[in-house]
């Protein structure tokens, strides 16, 4: 599982989500055309709001072009 979120980390959850995805892209775990989990799936799994997941997906798109 490439998305790692630790509630005990001092890093905000939304930043951990973004960093996990960007790291997976950089490491080659995710490639162009790969399907990311839906906003709803991530929100449910990690207890995040869907708007937070949506914003982080957009941040990843802007920073990586993925």
């Amino acid at each position: 599982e490439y998305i790692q979120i630790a509630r005990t980390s001092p890093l905000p959850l939304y930043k951990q989500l973004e960093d996990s995805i960007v790291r997976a892209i950089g490491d080659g775990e995710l490639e162009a055309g790969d399907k990311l989990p839906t906003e709803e799936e991530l929100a449910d799994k990690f207890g995040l709001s869907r708007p937070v997941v949506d914003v982080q997906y957009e941040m990843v798109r802007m920073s990586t072009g993925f």
Side-chain angles (χ1 to χ4, degrees):
E1 183 81 19
Y2 59 89
I3 297 176
Q4 301 293 319
I5 293 181
R7 292 203 169 272
T8 57
S9 172
L11 198 61
L13 300 178
Y14 66 87
K15 184 63 175 153
Q16 292 181 56
L17 172 61
E18 179 184 347
D19 289 352
S20 290
I21 296 169
V22 169
R23 186 173 30 258
I25 293 168
D27 291 347
E29 290 181 72
L30 285 174
E31 298 178 358
D34 285 351
K35 187 175 178 181
L36 294 172
T38 67
E39 294 169 15
E40 185 174 10
E41 289 170 335
L42 287 179
D44 290 346
K45 182 173 184 174
F46 295 111
L48 302 169
S49 71
R50 288 178 69 184
V52 165
V53 175
D54 179 53
V55 167
Q56 293 318 116
Y57 270 0
E58 185 58 33
M59 296 298 290
V60 169
R61 284 184 205 105
M62 290 181 354
S63 68
T64 66
F66 192 79

